[in-house]
Amino acid sequence: MTNIPPPAEELRLLDAELRQLDARRAVLLRRREWLVHVLRTASAQRSVPGAGQMPPVWPVAPGAAAPRTEATAPGVQNVLLLLGGVLLTVAAIAFTLVGWGHLGITGRALILAAVTLAALSAPVWLLRRGLGSTAEAVAALGMALTVLDAYALHEVAFDGSGGLGYAAAASAVLSAAWAAYGAAADLLVPRSDAGSPTRPDRARAGAGTAARPALRLPLPFAVVTAQVPLLLWALAVDAGPHTLTAVLLVTAAADTVVALRPAHAPVRIVGLVGACVAGALGALSAGWLCWSAAAPVAAARGAALLLLAAAIALAAARYAPKPEVALCASLAAGLCLVAGAGGVLRAWLPGEWTVPGCLALGIALLTAVRTPLPRPMRQGVVGASLVVQGLAVLWTLPLVAGTLLGPVALIERPWSGTPLDIRDAVFQDDAWASYATAAPLVLAAVAGVLALAERRAVRRPASGVGALVLAWAAVVVTPVVLELPYGAGLVAHGAVVVVALGVAERARRGTGGPSAPAALTAVVLALVTSVTLALVSLATEAGTLAVLLALAALFGVASTRPGLVAFTAPAALAHATALACAAGASAGLRPEHTALLVLVVPAVAALVAARAARAGRSAATVSVEAAGAAAALLALTLAVTDLPVLASVLALCGVVAAGTALRPERRRAGHAAAALFLLAAWVRLAAWEVTTPEAYTLPVSVAALAVGHLRRRRDPSVSSWAAHGAGLSVTLVPSLLAMWGDPHWLRPLLLGAAALAVTLVGARSRLQAPLVLGGGTLALVALHELAPYIAQVVGVLPRWAPPALAGLVLLALGATYEQRLRDARRLREALGRLH
């Protein structure tokens, strides 16, 4: 049979076994950390002499932590080589600039030549022995010495030549020499000695990938230096801006060739950066030359340079190895083509037709979709077309924004008189922009392009919405551009509202819901246009009344459509509110009397919301109720200056809220109705100049106590504090505060009697809230009545009596502390048993 040890012995054995497992786990974790460190540094240490020996089998003692190095051997080596190269270069510069005069011409030339040749020859010997990092550092030193040789040669032999010309020639020679030096290193050093992949490795890497050169620095440095010879030469001969721009573009073309050829990665990166920088500068300079030219011939010269930039970008896109590069290059090419042709058009056409001409060129780029170009190039050209169209639309935004926001100024001076035309009503005294003549054409053209794209299912929802918005903008600004008469302009804007609502209804039917993008956009456009129309109509009294009446009726009729009522019903109520205000102003009513007229809108909103709720349209119900609440708030604001009228307005708002509370889902509106009725009573009392607080608090207390009584009858478990606490506090607390400043006897008498009655009711019904509140109030009333006598007694007593009395009380309490605690606990339990 199995021998089961006692629990204490088994627990001891388990603890010992767990300690052994923990010790073994710690040893294994230290071993794993050391192995990870060895694997990370093994590959880098193979190329360093003496670093091939494996570290000891166990790096540290079992009880010690494994040491961690903060820098790898290759990293330390590179830092040392970099510092050595920098110091040698600084020494060479100091020798050339400072110690030059201590030697003769022959000696100085021989020393520099010898040092340069030695520095350039040493890397080959170092590479053959596997010292790649040292060879790179010495090669960098040698290239720096060649720059010093060029400077020394200028100081000795070409001192009289121009600095820019000599710098251009020297940079060209140095670039070619460094490129030849890098190629010669590849020929003289086998790939295996240089640390680069062998021939079979390069064959496996693929035909389009070049192996790493023996020396990595000469070729990138040569490409960087090749950026400046042509530019320095152009500056040396005082070339004009066109020549400088051409030089930049030619340099960008050369960099593009370097970036596209299968060279080493650093060379391609340097070429790509050079091509982007030089090409961008050249294209911007050519664009400035083209668009700032006053004569067509000068604009054509700038356009030719832009055409050259476009050709370079297209060539780069055609042979780019990655689709992203091809897309960006073709986009830049399309923009350069449009900019060049647009600059020529600007010199030939009037200023307001420049943007439409550029837009036509941008739209023409869309024909690239039908060409056999690669897909990334087609996408880039289409992207350039979209950029041109977007810029053209941005060009029209000031006119559109002015048309929509300009009439806001009429709010400060309504009914100022019939304007000369619709433009005068919209822009008043603002200067008219001459370019605005072609804005509707631009908007219509871009809208047509988007509509065609939507018909061909190209980004269908976004294209359809964009076409709708741009077409609306074109129609809205057309009456202003054409300077239609004031009445005709109002009719045109009204027609836009009608058409927008029709489009929204048609889109809703076609998609099955009002949340479709086209339907929602059309409704929003109709609302925006209606607001602009209402603002424009403020110029004349008759126009304001007619427009607001028509808009209220139009949106009211549109509210009969189930899919639009959530948007059109609030709009109808808003325009009806504005109509009520305008009618009151037209009839000469004061603002507080106009508020009574505005209250018709909340009443109508309550009826419409009830009908929408019966139809099951919850979204429409909420929006209609929000519009009615906003109209009621406006009415209260108008009536705030006249207290009797404000009381009437509050009471009428309470009637509307009470009617809303009759609906089962809006029972909570009853609280708002009660609050409004209470505020109406308070405002009426304030208008009568009643200052007695009980006149304000007693009605509230009576209503609250009645509600609390009914609530406790329905649910006996409700606490007396929840049922009666608020009702009692509303009257007792303000009356107490008023009693302390009242010198008469009537208020304390009545308040004490009421507090006594409340206390007795609480004691009889065993309710906590009436008992505590009534008793506390009765005690405070008694204290108030006894306060004069207490003050007299305190005045008669000597000054040492109060401290002595307090000390006696404290001693008594301390002596019977435990008994006091038991009494307090019993009192708390007695109160807790009450409701």
Side-chain angles (χ1 to χ4, degrees):
M1 296 181 64
T2 303
N3 184 17
I4 300 176
E9 180 66 16
E10 185 177 4
L11 180 61
R12 186 184 64 79
L13 294 176
L14 289 177
D15 290 339
E17 189 69 18
L18 289 174
R19 284 194 296 270
Q20 293 179 3
L21 290 176
D22 290 339
R24 181 60 178 168
R25 185 175 184 273
V27 172
L28 293 177
L29 287 176
R30 288 196 298 272
R31 178 68 178 180
R32 181 184 182 277
E33 181 181 5
W34 175 78
L35 290 174
V36 170
H37 174 72
V38 170
L39 291 176
R40 288 177 178 175
T41 58
S43 59
Q45 291 177 346
R46 292 193 188 100
S47 60
V48 181
Q53 296 85 1
M54 291 296 294
V57 176
W58 197 265
V60 293
R68 298 184 62 182
T69 59
E70 296 183 357
T72 61
V76 175
Q77 174 190 1
N78 292 334
V79 171
L80 295 177
L81 291 174
L82 177 62
L83 290 176
V86 170
L87 292 177
L88 288 175
T89 303
V90 172
I93 294 173
F95 169 75
T96 305
L97 298 179
V98 179
W100 189 255
H102 298 289
L103 299 174
I105 297 177
T106 305
R108 288 176 293 193
L110 290 176
I111 291 175
L112 277 177
V115 174
T116 302
L117 289 175
L120 294 176
S121 303
V124 177
W125 181 82
L126 293 172
L127 287 173
R128 289 178 176 177
R129 282 155 182 77
L131 303 177
S133 300
T134 307
E136 295 287 352
V138 176
L141 175 61
M143 289 187 291
L145 289 175
T146 57
V147 178
L148 295 177
D149 289 336
Y151 170 76
L153 184 61
H154 176 267
E155 294 296 322
V156 173
F158 300 98
D159 191 16
S161 62
L164 289 177
Y166 180 80
S171 59
V173 172
L174 286 177
S175 177
W178 291 349
Y181 178 62
D186 286 341
L187 295 176
L188 294 176
V189 181
R191 296 296 187 270
S192 58
D193 294 340
S196 59
T198 58
R199 302 288 181 181
D201 294 336
R202 287 191 294 154
R204 287 194 299 267
T209 303
R212 191 185 71 179
L215 292 175
R216 290 174 289 181
L217 294 180
L219 291 179
F221 277 30
V223 176
V224 171
T225 309
Q227 307 298 312
V228 296
L230 287 178
L231 184 60
L232 292 176
W233 168 81
L235 294 174
V237 299
D238 293 331
H242 290 82
T243 304
L244 288 174
T245 303
V247 164
L248 288 173
L249 294 177
V250 170
T251 304
D255 290 332
T256 302
V257 174
V258 173
L260 293 178
R261 65 185 299 272
H264 188 43
V267 179
R268 292 198 306 272
I269 293 173
V270 172
L272 179 61
V273 173
C276 293
V277 174
L281 292 176
L284 292 175
S285 177
W288 178 78
L289 292 173
C290 182
W291 281 77
S292 63
V297 177
R301 293 176 62 189
L305 293 174
L306 284 172
L307 182 62
L308 175 60
I312 296 171
L314 285 176
R318 178 64 180 83
Y319 298 103
K322 294 184 178 181
E324 297 82 1
V325 177
L327 189 148
C328 294
S330 56
L331 188 147
L335 293 178
C336 288
L337 289 174
V338 174
V344 176
L345 289 176
R346 175 186 170 277
W348 283 94
L349 297 176
E352 63 268 19
W353 295 103
T354 301
V355 173
C358 293
L359 176 62
L361 295 172
I363 295 175
L365 290 179
L366 294 176
T367 57
V369 177
R370 298 289 186 179
T371 61
L373 292 174
R375 180 180 177 84
M377 293 185 66
R378 295 199 306 270
Q379 291 178 342
V381 175
V382 172
S385 174
L386 294 179
V387 170
V388 173
Q389 295 179 55
L391 293 176
V393 171
L394 289 178
W395 174 75
T396 65
L397 281 185
L399 176 62
V400 178
T403 303
L404 297 178
L405 302 178
V408 175
L410 290 173
I411 296 177
E412 299 179 354
R413 43 188 180 89
W415 301 346
S416 56
T418 305
L420 297 177
D421 49 44
I422 191 66
R423 180 187 296 181
D424 183 57
V426 171
F427 287 93
Q428 288 91 40
D429 300 330
D430 297 337
W432 175 254
S434 59
Y435 69 85
T437 305
L441 180 61
V442 170
L443 293 169
V446 180
V449 172
L450 292 178
L452 182 61
E454 192 268 344
R455 184 177 296 275
R456 295 187 178 183
V458 179
R459 297 185 180 273
R460 188 162 189 168
S463 300
V465 170
L468 182 60
V469 172
L470 294 179
W472 165 81
V475 175
V476 166
V477 301
T478 298
V480 180
V481 172
L482 297 180
E483 296 185 84
L484 294 180
Y486 177 68
L490 294 179
V491 172
H493 281 81
V496 172
V497 178
V498 174
V499 172
L501 291 175
V503 171
E505 177 63 17
R506 181 179 179 183
R508 184 193 66 82
R509 290 180 178 179
T511 56
S515 60
L520 183 59
T521 303
V523 170
V524 172
L525 295 179
L527 296 176
V528 172
T529 310
S530 68
V531 173
T532 302
L533 176 58
L535 292 174
V536 174
S537 68
L538 290 175
T540 62
E541 179 179 354
T544 302
L545 296 175
V547 167
L548 291 177
L549 179 60
L551 289 175
L554 175 62
F555 282 103
V557 172
S559 300
T560 58
R561 315 307 300 172
L564 303 179
V565 63
F567 303 96
T568 55
L573 294 174
H575 289 299
T577 303
L579 177 62
C581 295
S586 178
L589 299 178
R590 298 174 59 185
E592 55 270 21
H593 297 152
T594 304
L596 299 174
L597 190 60
V598 173
L599 282 179
V600 177
V601 177
V604 175
L607 297 176
V608 174
R611 180 179 178 184
R614 287 195 298 270
R617 296 190 289 267
S618 58
T621 303
V622 174
S623 60
V624 169
E625 289 175 345
L633 183 61
L634 176 61
L636 293 174
T637 305
L638 293 174
V640 74
T641 57
D642 192 327
L643 292 182
V645 177
L646 179 60
S648 301
V649 172
L650 286 170
L652 292 175
C653 291
V655 171
V656 174
T660 303
L662 295 177
R663 291 158 43 196
E665 73 277 5
R666 289 291 185 267
R667 295 299 188 196
R668 294 182 179 272
H671 302 295
L676 289 171
F677 286 134
L678 176 63
L679 289 175
W682 284 357
V683 171
R684 176 58 65 180
L685 291 174
W688 289 338
E689 299 181 355
V690 176
T691 58
T692 303
E694 287 78 9
Y696 295 88
T697 58
L698 277 176
V700 180
S701 293
V702 171
L705 290 174
V707 172
H709 178 68
L710 294 176
R711 183 179 179 186
R712 277 187 58 81
R713 287 186 61 183
R714 289 197 302 266
D715 186 5
S717 63
V718 176
S719 170
S720 62
W721 288 102
H724 307 300
L728 294 173
S729 301
V730 166
T731 296
L732 294 178
V733 173
S735 298
L736 276 174
L737 296 177
M739 179 191 67
W740 288 102
D742 190 356
H744 301 91
W745 59 271
L746 182 58
R747 187 189 302 274
L749 177 62
L750 295 177
L751 182 59
L756 178 61
V758 170
T759 304
L760 294 176
V761 170
R764 182 178 180 279
S765 304
R766 301 183 64 186
L767 296 178
Q768 189 179 106
L771 185 62
V772 173
L773 293 176
T777 303
L778 187 60
L780 291 175
V781 171
L783 181 62
H784 173 268
E785 295 302 314
L786 292 176
Y789 304 102
I790 295 174
Q792 291 179 3
V793 172
V794 172
V796 173
L797 291 176
R799 293 190 177 185
W800 54 265
L805 181 61
L808 291 175
V809 171
L810 292 176
L811 287 176
L813 290 176
T816 59
Y817 181 72
E818 186 176 0
Q819 182 62 35
R820 300 288 80 74
L821 290 179
R822 284 196 296 267
D823 294 342
R825 191 179 298 111
R826 289 171 184 159
L827 178 60
R828 185 182 63 184
E829 292 174 356
L831 289 175
R833 287 192 294 269
L834 300 177
H835 289 283

